[in-house]
Amino acid sequence: MKKYLLSICTLFLPLINFAQESTSEQIDRVFKDYTGWFVDAIFYEIPFSETYKIPWVLIVLIGGALFFTFYFRFINITGFRTAVRVVQGKYEDIEKHGADTLYGDMTPNEDENIIETLRDDGAHGEVSHFQALTAALSATVGLGNIAGVAVALSIGGPGATFWMILAGLLGMASKFAECTLGVKYRDVGEDGTVYGGPMYYLTKGLKEKGMKGFGKVLAVLFAIFVIGGSFGGGNMFQANQAAAQFIKLFNFESTNAGMYFGLGMAVIVAVVIIGGIKRIASVTEKIVPFMAGIYVLASLIILGANWTLIDDAFALIYHGAFSGLGIAGGLVGVMIQGIRRGAFSNEAGVGSAAIAHSAVRTKYPASEGIVALLEPFVDTVVICTMTALVIVITNFDGSFMEYGVPIKKGVELTATAFDTVIPHFSVVLTVAVILFAFSTMISWSYYGMQGWVFLFGKGKITDLVYKVLFLFFVVVGSSISLGAVIDFSDAMIFAMVVPNIIGVIILSPVISKELKKYLKAISLKQDALDEGAEDLTKHM
């Protein structure tokens, strides 16, 4: 096993030396040479006519989201209220000990002392629903909401916003499905450490269906892609945009400024990721609400100051969504950009969030699936839409962006939009960008680590090799241009979609069974409370 790890490390040694000795432009060129073929394969466009060409991976992604939406009877809408109540801890008692144990037929032991039951038979897991949600949100609510939206609008115009929102709404069903399976098929070590995600439900779940070999192949492919995704979209893209905003704010002229910023960021990231998911969750549950609050508040201030233009902005978004005038590719071009950036931002159907959610403490897998459906809503429907509205409203006169002309500096453009109403807000945005990048990186380090452990086994040396490589790519990402980073980031993350969606569709009956089981447990508790039983969450 050590030989395999050493072989992998030797592949990166030339890149390490090159990054130390070369300029950002040279790194970018070599990076494109290494990854260009993969990007082209993932985003190969199927020609439906001479005018309409759609990337095949988007068809898989949206097709899966539509399937889950209908199969689970619009769980993205019907499960929303329940999701909020779960996060609030309303069902923490039954999730920890089981509804039958607490509110079902009383056993002799429970008749004597119900509190004794609360000490026994606890649920496996390492983090709470809220911690799992914030850990996963920290990986999704990131620079895709700031830089990604600006990139989508520059290419697809205001209409791309409509398709981003639609991608978010449909993605809620995908997120529910994959995160339910993440808990259902997780492994729990002797020390209580949880190992979960698509790698495990693809192997164990499909084995139950008599497709052991097929499941193993899909799991290995996913593990490889999630490692690449952790180095790309979960790391280099974040570091790249954080470094760009930091350098612009302080007007650093040194060609190595990005690399120095990356070194500093790598040190801070290292301090957190060494502690595993518990430390990651404890950090993200504080950072995510804070940084999202600042960003949303600033957006609301701008929208409030321009409230008379909000209806005009929505009209422009709606008109652009179905016309595509002046945009390369027309209507389909607008649709593709919106869906692509929406999916990149919320990662629904990608399977990555199932890794974080699998660590939750609960006896009912569907409880965490229901919590997870909140992610695309918060990430895309709320935050991405706010960013888009701010850009559209402040750019009505076309002062800083021409729609249909691709840009390479997403964060800088969003900062310009905010500065037009809140002078010098770019300073605050820089802090928010760095926090967004930091929280996303530490969560994605956990995702990639799970894939790495699945492929190479558990052990201190295995962990150390991955973490060193992850920190190295923090520096690389800070040193190269957005063009190479964003293409590779998209490709690796979208590649995860294929094995994940295939497996989740096959296992949909299992998810449906778990959902019915959890809803029955909630109903059992509610009936007991209606009959005068005590709500035992206060004993948790």
Side-chain angles (χ1 to χ4, degrees):
M1 185 60 65
K2 292 182 180 179
K3 292 182 179 179
Y4 289 119
L5 293 175
L6 290 174
S7 298
I8 291 174
C9 288
T10 57
L11 293 176
F12 290 100
L13 288 177
L15 288 177
I16 295 174
N17 294 329
F18 195 82
Q20 291 176 336
E21 299 171 358
S22 305
T23 64
S24 297
E25 292 78 11
Q26 290 174 316
I27 294 176
D28 181 49
R29 176 176 51 79
V30 171
F31 192 77
K32 286 181 179 178
D33 291 340
Y34 272 86
T35 63
W37 65 271
F38 181 75
V39 174
D40 292 340
I42 294 299
F43 292 117
Y44 174 77
E45 296 181 332
I46 298 176
F48 289 90
S49 70
E50 293 183 1
T51 306
Y52 299 134
K53 298 179 181 179
I54 302 178
W56 66 271
V57 73
L58 284 185
I59 298 175
V60 175
L61 185 70
I62 297 304
L66 286 168
F67 173 82
F68 300 133
T69 296
F70 287 106
Y71 188 88
F72 299 114
R73 301 178 181 179
F74 294 90
I75 188 68
N76 34 12
I77 299 173
T78 60
F80 193 89
R81 182 172 178 272
T82 302
V84 174
R85 293 177 65 85
V86 174
V87 173
Q88 291 174 334
K90 300 293 185 181
Y91 309 118
E92 187 176 353
D93 52 352
I94 62 174
E95 290 162 8
K96 187 173 183 180
H97 303 285
D100 289 330
T101 301
L102 299 181
Y103 298 103
D105 294 332
M106 302 289 281
T107 65
N109 181 59
E110 292 174 306
D111 271 339
E112 295 172 5
N113 188 359
I114 185 66
I115 303 301
E116 181 178 346
T117 307
L118 300 181
R119 294 198 300 267
D120 301 330
D121 196 30
H124 291 300
E126 299 184 82
V127 296
S128 68
H129 281 300
F130 182 72
Q131 287 178 320
L133 179 63
T134 55
L137 271 174
S138 69
T140 56
V141 178
L143 297 184
N145 304 79
I146 302 175
V149 172
V151 170
L153 292 181
S154 73
I155 301 174
T161 308
F162 176 89
W163 299 107
M164 272 193 288
I165 295 173
L166 183 62
L169 292 173
L170 293 176
M172 294 168 71
S174 299
K175 193 81 78 162
F176 158 76
E178 60 196 15
C179 291
T180 297
L181 291 176
V183 180
K184 171 70 175 176
Y185 292 105
R186 64 188 176 182
D187 280 349
V188 182
E190 294 181 359
D191 60 352
T193 300
V194 173
Y195 302 93
M199 301 84 67
Y200 296 90
Y201 60 69
L202 288 172
T203 50
K204 296 162 73 173
L206 294 186
K207 181 180 179 181
E208 293 178 356
K209 297 287 186 180
M211 294 181 279
K212 180 179 178 181
F214 183 55
K216 187 69 174 179
V217 171
L218 292 180
V220 170
L221 285 174
F222 184 89
I224 293 171
F225 294 147
V226 78
I227 293 170
S230 73
F231 291 153
N235 184 339
M236 290 193 291
F237 175 74
Q238 310 298 323
N240 180 279
Q241 289 292 274
Q245 184 63 13
F246 185 81
I247 291 171
K248 178 188 176 185
L249 181 66
F250 293 101
N251 294 317
F252 287 124
E253 297 181 357
S254 171
T255 55
N256 294 320
M259 187 176 295
Y260 295 141
F261 176 86
L263 288 170
M265 181 66 84
V267 171
I268 300 173
V269 170
V271 172
V272 178
I273 66 175
I274 290 173
I277 185 61
K278 289 185 178 179
R279 183 178 295 177
I280 291 172
S282 67
V283 172
T284 55
E285 74 173 339
K286 299 177 180 67
I287 290 180
V288 172
F290 172 73
M291 67 184 183
I294 290 178
Y295 190 73
V296 169
L297 178 61
S299 299
L300 289 174
I301 290 174
I302 293 177
L303 296 179
N306 297 276
W307 66 272
T308 58
L309 299 176
I310 293 178
D311 57 342
D312 293 330
F314 273 117
L316 194 61
I317 288 171
Y318 181 78
H319 178 71
F322 297 100
S323 67
L325 297 177
I327 303 300
L331 172 59
V332 174
V334 175
M335 186 185 304
I336 290 174
Q337 285 305 316
I339 293 175
R340 178 174 172 175
R341 295 261 59 86
F344 178 80
S345 181
N346 63 52
E347 298 169 19
V350 172
S352 54
I355 299 174
H357 285 282
S358 64
V360 76
R361 290 187 295 269
T362 184
K363 281 184 172 296
Y364 297 96
S367 69
E368 193 58 21
I370 288 176
V371 168
L373 65 80
L374 292 174
E375 286 176 37
F377 182 83
V378 173
D379 175 272
T380 309
V381 179
V382 177
I383 299 181
C384 282
T385 301
M386 283 187 167
T387 301
L389 285 174
V390 168
I391 293 175
V392 171
I393 287 175
T394 56
N395 190 55
F396 266 130
D397 58 356
S399 59
F400 59 86
M401 177 197 287
E402 180 182 351
Y403 298 124
V405 178
I407 61 168
K408 291 187 177 181
K409 299 180 178 181
V411 171
E412 289 92 328
L413 188 144
T414 304
T416 299
F418 275 83
D419 278 343
T420 58
V421 178
I422 307 176
H424 307 297
F425 183 77
S426 55
V427 176
V428 179
L429 187 62
T430 298
V431 175
V433 163
I434 294 174
L435 288 176
F436 271 126
F438 172 67
S439 65
T440 300
M441 284 190 282
I442 60 177
S443 290
W444 265 95
S445 71
Y446 178 69
Y447 295 170
M449 170 65 78
Q450 291 288 311
W452 189 270
V453 167
F454 181 81
L455 289 179
F456 301 110
K458 307 175 181 70
K460 292 184 178 179
I461 295 179
T462 304
D463 289 3
L464 181 61
V465 171
Y466 171 79
K467 288 173 181 176
V468 168
L469 287 174
F470 187 86
L471 296 172
F472 161 70
F473 278 108
V474 173
V475 182
V476 173
S478 301
S479 307
I480 61 180
S481 76
L482 177 61
V485 175
I486 201 168
D487 289 342
F488 179 69
S489 299
D490 278 1
M492 292 305 293
I493 288 176
F494 275 98
M496 294 161 62
V497 168
V498 182
N500 182 59
I501 290 292
I502 292 173
V504 177
I505 288 177
I506 295 174
L507 295 172
S508 290
V510 176
I511 302 168
S512 183
K513 182 179 179 180
E514 290 297 333
L515 177 60
K516 291 177 181 177
K517 185 187 299 184
Y518 183 56
L519 294 179
K520 181 180 178 181
I522 292 176
S523 178
L524 183 62
K525 173 176 178 173
Q526 190 59 52
D527 290 344
L529 293 180
D530 291 342
E531 294 174 4
E534 180 186 3
D535 189 339
L536 298 174
T537 52
K538 65 182 182 181
H539 295 294
M540 296 297 100

